[in-house]
Amino acid sequence: MKKAVIAISVLFFISLSAASAHADLDSFLAGLNLQARGDMEGFSVKLSNQFGVSLPRVETIITRVEEPADAFMCLQLGAMAKEEPERVVQTYRRKKEKGWGAVAKDLGIKPGSAEFHALKRGDFELTGEGGMATDTKETKGKGKGKGKSK
């Protein structure tokens, strides 16, 4: 009897922690949607700056997803998986009913990886600062000096 009570307690706490991890991502996305609806232009500019994607491409992505926060997630997962935003949006449109974990897996982000754990925790932020370039057409250099130390 004690083993059954312990097993049920462990399962309860595991399911509770999984639900809270999901709630964290959901809370983050809900906050992004509020921010975007308050200032869509500013939201779009922040996405463009943070992910190194041109503003017209960001605006196109926003029109192809259900919620503005979904555009953020497509760009975030694209940066994590080193995939073009358009491919991520295609994957999102196919897998969105199964959740962001399924989208991430389809893009090659492995369950158990640091990136996948960050996704599950909703451990992201919209800073509007550069550093997460995904727009290879606009961010690739000529190649001079790559890999060379000064």
Side-chain angles (χ1 to χ4, degrees):
M1 184 67 177
K2 283 185 179 182
K3 288 182 181 180
V5 171
I6 291 171
I8 291 172
S9 297
V10 168
L11 287 174
F12 173 75
F13 285 113
I14 289 172
S15 65
L16 185 62
S17 66
S20 69
H22 184 67
D24 290 343
L25 179 60
D26 287 343
S27 297
F28 172 74
L29 296 176
L32 278 184
N33 283 326
L34 284 173
Q35 181 180 350
R37 289 186 182 105
D39 179 13
M40 186 59 77
E41 186 177 327
F43 179 77
S44 300
V45 169
K46 282 184 175 182
L47 288 179
S48 176
N49 290 339
Q50 183 164 332
F51 294 103
V53 175
S54 68
L55 191 55
R57 279 179 88 183
V58 167
E59 291 167 345
T60 298
I61 292 166
I62 290 171
T63 64
R64 297 196 59 219
V65 296
E66 289 182 19
E67 299 285 344
D70 295 342
F72 171 89
M73 287 302 298
C74 286
L75 292 166
Q76 180 68 53
L77 290 178
M80 292 164 78
K82 296 177 178 57
E83 290 289 345
E84 288 291 324
E86 290 76 13
R87 175 162 185 261
V88 180
V89 171
Q90 289 171 352
T91 304
Y92 156 83
R93 292 170 69 85
R94 273 193 336 269
K95 300 277 184 168
K96 66 183 171 191
E97 299 303 321
K98 295 184 179 183
W100 287 111
V103 174
K105 283 187 225 175
D106 208 56
L107 293 169
I109 299 171
K110 304 222 181 292
S113 68
E115 293 87 357
F116 202 85
H117 286 294
L119 168 67
K120 291 298 183 181
R121 286 189 310 266
D123 194 13
F124 304 121
E125 58 184 325
L126 178 59
T127 63
E129 297 173 11
M132 300 204 71
T134 60
D135 201 339
T136 56
K137 294 175 189 169
E138 296 171 15
T139 58
K140 280 188 178 175
K142 300 268 189 232
K144 289 187 175 185
K146 288 189 177 180
K148 295 181 183 177
S149 59
K150 293 185 180 188

